[in-house]
Amino acid sequence: MDGKRLEYKGEEALKELERLTEKSDEVQENILKEILKQNGLTEYLNKYLDGSTEVSAFKSLVPVITYADIRPYIQRIANGEDSSLISGQTITEMLCSSGTSAGEPKLMPSVAEDLDRRTFLYNLIMPIINQYVPGLDEGKAMYLYFAKAEMSTPSGLPARPVLTSFYKSKHFKCRARDPFNDFTSPDQAILCTDGEQSMYCQLLSGLVHRHQVLRLGAVFASAFLRAISFLLRNWAYLCNDIRTGELGSRITDPECRSAMLDILKLPNPHLADEIKMICARTSWKGILCQLWPKAKYIEAVVTGSMAQYIPALEFYSAGKLPLVCTMYASSECFFGVNLKPLCDPADVVYTILPNMAYFEFIPLGDSGLMLMDEEEKVPRSKLVDLAHVRVGCYYEVVVTTYAGLYRYRIGDVVQVTGFHNRSPQLRFICRRNVVLSIDNDKTNEEDLHNSVTSAKKLLEPYHALLVEYTSFADTSSVPGHYVLFWEIQHYKTNGAVNRMEAHVLEECCMVVEEALDYVYRRCRTYDKSVGPLEIRLVGPGTFEALMDHFIRNGASINQYKTPRCINCKAALELLNSMVEACFFSPKNPTWNP
Ligand code: AMP
């Protein structure tokens, strides 16, 4: 069956990609038949299909759902009930998505075979890139990958992010034999769950091998920039280790220590001097090309919310290294690959791999403005299958998987830009209803509103009122952080903010952070990939001026709503010009794994 034949490499993998995309509709139909055959009798599907395993019954009877609908089943499995509630195969792990539900990470069921599907997609990446950038088997890749500490469900199933699951699998470990996958980072450093030690060791090995490195990367652009910022703070220590051939005492993880000592081997003062000379420069513009002179590109996701990091990556590479986006994937399922890896980030499209899952699409019109709320019931008849999407139109992606998600709304908005053979090519537009995102965090308007509502209560004893607010993801420094612009009435506007008032606004920052979701708090406290939240107090009349600005630029007075997040440069400049004082969260929010 198409879902099973997954062990392809090199040329063979490309041929398989052609074969699959040439008959996408047939592959999709077979996938759905197979899922229904295996899973038709699960408690979940049986409820709707009453024992039928017919495709037509599925299409007319199974509803389009969100996480809230499937969550009770997932919770029951996590608590020890049988996988057969939702899947004909054994659920082997729960994948923690960066999406959240009721403040907790969403848990996505996964079956053993899913690893083969993900590996099939990974195995396509190098053959695709090799068509455009030859010779990558003659050197190394400095990819900064990070695993997270694993948890387990009450029934003992591993609960971990999809990439941690992959790094721990034999599929990842087997790559060692493939010259196209020769990484500078030792597995022990990738698997070390102490982020600082992992980062230090991975950069150290990347620097030791700097003359062999042919490509740089991380999964998301945010992680790659964090590595540059870490390097900025730590290059002197890294140079010292290279100079002496000894590992500093900050690396305490025994597996990392032994792997790194193997890499350091002997003192190398010459290499340390080279690196020191480069890093000691006042400007780091183009530093990546100097430190890794043979690097041919940077691989990282720079589409969607990650596009905000393109200018920084271009600065550090002096615009000389192409930014390569290879794939579009999620914890629920992997979607597709970019067949033109060297294209401009703005032109990236992902070709759907029809053997990953059964895909359907909710049409959002040809302007993308007909977004549907999460709560809104989507009529089954509205769904379009993969063969019937239209070029130029916007859609929300819906998947049906072997592991037990049926007509599940992923929450991503995409635009169909064309077809590769018979498979649609998608431009990633946005995550539905996300207003702020720095790293894995995805804060929607409602979360933001609820957290601001909790915090503004602290103003009441001071006879102060929050008149209006908006927000902005500030990524001008690393790590980026959330900024809230607050206009407060009855507040002293002469700039003399007394100690008590400053303290109150700092507390407001803390309350907002505490009220944001689990993934935000994890990024702040554990990953340290998001910096302290800031409240910028703006003077009276600021939000009226903001409204005037938008109305001048075409917004309707009748329908004007203060945008809860500002992305436009002119509006940001206006807000920043009215700032009277800034306050930062003084401590990390609570986060328990
Ligand atoms: P997670 O479930 O935590 O793995 O997050 C998956 C989500 O990350 C997807 O649903 C997208 O919203 C986003 N994502 C993944 N790959 C890309 C990509 N290539 N471009 C833009 N966003 C992406």
Side-chain angles (χ1 to χ4, degrees):
M1 269 329 258
D2 291 306
K4 295 275 164 59
R5 299 176 49 192
L6 295 161
E7 293 206 359
Y8 296 92
K9 291 224 165 142
E11 279 294 307
E12 223 194 315
L14 290 180
K15 278 196 201 131
E16 181 61 7
L17 171 73
E18 288 305 298
R19 191 189 72 82
L20 286 167
T21 53
E22 269 159 14
K23 50 180 192 118
S24 269
D25 349 359
E26 201 186 309
V27 175
Q28 282 282 281
E29 197 75 9
N30 286 340
I31 289 258
L32 182 58
K33 279 188 190 149
E34 202 176 46
I35 292 177
L36 291 175
K37 196 166 123 205
Q38 289 184 14
N39 300 1
L41 294 179
T42 56
E43 183 176 318
Y44 183 87
L45 271 187
N46 202 31
K47 186 167 79 172
Y48 299 104
L49 297 179
D50 202 14
S52 168
T53 53
E54 291 301 316
V55 165
S56 57
F58 174 87
K59 289 194 175 169
S60 60
L61 297 171
V62 175
V64 182
I65 59 160
T66 62
Y67 190 72
D69 302 297
I70 191 77
R71 185 171 180 270
Y73 293 85
I74 291 179
Q75 283 300 328
R76 281 168 63 191
I77 295 169
N79 288 334
E81 283 190 56
D82 202 79
S83 304
S84 63
L85 287 180
I86 58 171
S87 179
Q89 295 184 40
T90 304
I91 289 169
T92 46
E93 59 183 337
M94 293 288 181
L95 301 177
C96 308
S97 146
S98 59
T100 51
S101 163
E104 300 285 310
K106 292 178 181 169
L107 292 181
M108 296 302 165
S110 181
V111 295
E113 240 181 39
D114 286 335
L115 264 170
D116 300 331
R117 272 183 276 277
R118 289 179 208 124
T119 306
F120 173 81
L121 189 146
Y122 283 125
N123 284 347
L124 286 171
I125 306 297
M126 283 320 291
I128 293 171
I129 296 184
N130 192 40
Q131 294 173 303
Y132 299 90
V133 190
L136 291 172
D137 53 342
E138 288 158 19
K140 290 180 180 288
M142 188 187 82
Y143 285 163
L144 304 161
Y145 288 157
F146 303 92
K148 291 223 157 75
E150 171 167 323
M151 293 172 280
S152 72
T153 68
S155 67
L157 287 176
R160 53 197 181 184
V162 60
L163 290 169
T164 300
S165 155
F166 187 66
Y167 303 145
K168 289 189 167 181
S169 71
K170 68 173 190 322
H171 300 68
F172 181 71
K173 289 179 183 149
C174 288
R175 85 193 182 285
R177 292 191 289 274
D178 183 348
F180 279 107
N181 281 320
D182 181 4
F183 296 172
T184 54
S185 297
D187 286 6
Q188 295 87 334
I190 293 173
L191 292 174
C192 171
T193 53
D194 176 323
E196 295 257 317
Q197 293 193 49
S198 168
M199 177 76 88
Y200 188 93
C201 294
Q202 295 197 56
L203 282 171
L204 185 56
S205 37
L207 288 170
V208 167
H209 296 112
R210 63 184 279 260
H211 291 293
Q212 288 118 277
V213 168
L214 301 183
R215 50 207 162 110
L216 307 170
V219 177
F220 287 105
S222 54
F224 192 74
L225 282 170
R226 279 186 68 212
I228 299 177
S229 149
F230 186 94
L231 185 60
L232 191 62
R233 283 177 278 121
N234 291 287
W235 61 263
Y237 299 104
L238 292 158
C239 281
N240 192 50
D241 289 358
I242 294 171
R243 186 177 305 284
T244 58
E246 283 169 19
L247 196 59
S249 58
R250 59 160 69 191
I251 305 304
T252 53
D253 180 281
E255 306 234 341
C256 275
R257 277 200 81 80
S258 94
M260 292 312 297
L261 288 171
D262 273 353
I263 288 171
L264 283 172
K265 288 192 192 112
L266 292 171
N268 194 339
H270 175 68
L271 180 63
D273 284 342
E274 274 179 8
I275 297 168
K276 183 177 166 190
M277 221 170 71
I278 297 169
C279 292
R281 290 181 190 158
T282 43
S283 168
W284 270 35
K285 185 169 182 190
I287 188 102
L288 297 173
C289 308
Q290 291 153 9
L291 284 175
W292 292 283
K294 292 192 185 149
K296 298 182 184 188
Y297 62 85
I298 302 173
E299 182 177 326
V301 170
V302 287
T303 40
S305 67
M306 291 292 146
Q308 62 189 327
Y309 298 109
I310 293 172
L313 290 175
E314 283 177 342
F315 173 83
Y316 290 116
S317 61
K320 289 191 189 132
L321 297 177
L323 304 177
V324 171
C325 273
T326 57
M327 60 192 272
Y328 170 32
S330 76
S331 313
E332 292 88 340
C333 88
F334 280 23
F335 305 104
V337 288
N338 176 7
L339 297 179
K340 298 222 169 87
L342 293 185
C343 73
D344 189 271
D347 299 327
V348 170
V349 293
Y350 300 100
T351 299
I352 290 246
L353 295 181
N355 58 339
M356 292 289 116
Y358 179 66
F359 296 104
E360 289 171 289
F361 299 86
I362 305 173
L364 304 172
D366 49 16
S367 66
L369 295 175
M370 289 163 45
L371 281 187
M372 304 194 72
D373 282 343
E374 184 143 334
E375 287 73 33
E376 205 173 326
K377 287 276 166 254
V378 181
R380 295 182 248 293
S381 59
K382 252 193 122 196
L383 291 187
V384 174
D385 60 25
L386 184 141
H388 294 100
V389 292
R390 286 190 13 235
V391 172
C393 290
Y394 291 78
Y395 297 92
E396 193 188 314
V397 183
V398 170
V399 296
T400 295
T401 67
Y402 287 90
L405 300 175
Y406 304 98
R407 297 193 138 171
Y408 177 87
R409 291 169 70 178
I410 294 287
D412 289 346
V413 176
V414 295
Q415 184 188 25
V416 174
T417 59
F419 285 84
H420 176 76
N421 297 322
R422 295 171 72 90
S423 232
Q425 298 190 295
L426 311 177
R427 186 195 304 285
F428 183 91
I429 301 295
C430 63
R431 183 131 186 126
R432 191 187 58 220
N433 194 20
V434 165
V435 288
L436 290 169
S437 173
I438 298 282
D439 186 34
N440 282 325
D441 53 301
K442 297 181 179 72
T443 296
N444 65 31
E445 203 166 312
E446 193 188 351
D447 295 340
L448 180 66
H449 186 72
N450 290 341
S451 56
V452 168
T453 306
S454 312
K456 72 180 183 186
K457 292 197 185 107
L458 299 190
L459 303 176
E460 287 167 11
Y462 302 91
H463 308 290
L465 218 119
L466 182 65
V467 178
E468 256 304 3
Y469 74 91
T470 189
S471 68
F472 151 65
D474 184 347
T475 53
S476 59
S477 54
V478 178
H481 68 288
Y482 288 13
V483 173
L484 302 182
F485 291 96
W486 276 23
E487 185 176 328
I488 293 177
Q489 224 175 21
H490 301 309
Y491 201 84
K492 286 181 188 159
T493 52
N494 58 6
V497 179
N498 69 32
R499 277 179 70 80
M500 182 58 189
E501 285 159 346
H503 161 76
V504 171
L505 282 158
E506 280 176 4
E507 263 181 37
C508 287
C509 294
M510 277 159 39
V511 172
V512 173
E513 291 204 302
E514 286 295 343
L516 287 174
D517 74 24
Y518 173 92
V519 176
Y520 174 86
R521 287 180 282 113
R522 189 191 68 206
C523 287
R524 271 279 286 127
T525 303
Y526 178 75
D527 299 338
K528 302 197 175 17
S529 54
V530 176
L533 181 136
E534 178 183 1
I535 291 181
R536 291 186 193 163
L537 199 63
V538 291
T542 300
F543 279 85
E544 260 187 67
L546 186 73
M547 176 167 155
D548 292 343
H549 165 85
F550 282 115
I551 288 168
R552 266 199 311 278
N553 287 287
S556 127
I557 302 187
N558 274 337
Q559 285 162 265
Y560 179 81
K561 293 186 212 77
T562 301
R564 289 298 170 223
C565 180
I566 301 287
N567 298 312
C568 120
K569 198 165 163 237
L572 260 182
E573 275 169 8
L574 184 150
L575 287 168
N576 279 325
S577 70
M578 313 279 268
V579 171
E580 294 185 340
C582 304
F583 306 89
F584 287 89
S585 185
K587 73 179 196 14
N588 288 344
T590 47
W591 177 75
N592 298 312

